[in-house]
Amino acid sequence: MEFEKLQEIIADVMNVSADEIQPETTFVDDLGADSLDIFQIIMGIEEEFDIEIDSDDAEKITTVQDAVDQIKKAVE
């Protein structure tokens, strides 16, 4: 469930099809995200899931799966 919502957030911010976004997709290399894009994605995650991601943890997010793991950790 987290993954599907995350796909929508990323697709919206990056202007790509949700089908292109897989757990192993990297934000920078595969999607061409810059720091502002990543910031917008993290803001979207925090708003959608009503969580707060620590900035140190946010810096460790390089793949979609990393983001899913952070969401699960914050929701627990």
Side-chain angles (χ1 to χ4, degrees):
M1 187 171 106
E2 288 97 352
F3 178 68
E4 287 81 12
K5 286 184 180 179
L6 185 57
Q7 271 182 314
E8 291 173 25
I9 294 167
I10 296 167
D12 187 47
V13 172
M14 296 305 300
N15 244 353
V16 296
S17 166
D19 298 338
E20 294 179 41
I21 301 163
Q22 299 303 316
E24 65 277 2
T25 302
T26 62
F27 291 107
V28 176
D29 294 338
D30 295 332
L31 298 174
D34 59 23
S35 57
L36 180 60
D37 294 326
I38 293 170
F39 177 74
Q40 287 180 305
I41 291 166
I42 290 171
M43 293 295 290
I45 291 168
E46 291 179 333
E47 193 173 301
E48 176 69 35
F49 294 95
D50 195 29
I51 59 173
E52 194 167 315
I53 297 175
D54 184 76
S55 58
D56 288 340
D57 290 334
E59 288 176 18
K60 296 175 190 162
I61 297 174
T62 57
T63 67
V64 175
Q65 186 60 52
D66 291 341
V68 170
D69 293 343
Q70 284 298 330
I71 294 165
K72 287 181 178 174
K73 186 174 124 183
V75 170
E76 286 176 358

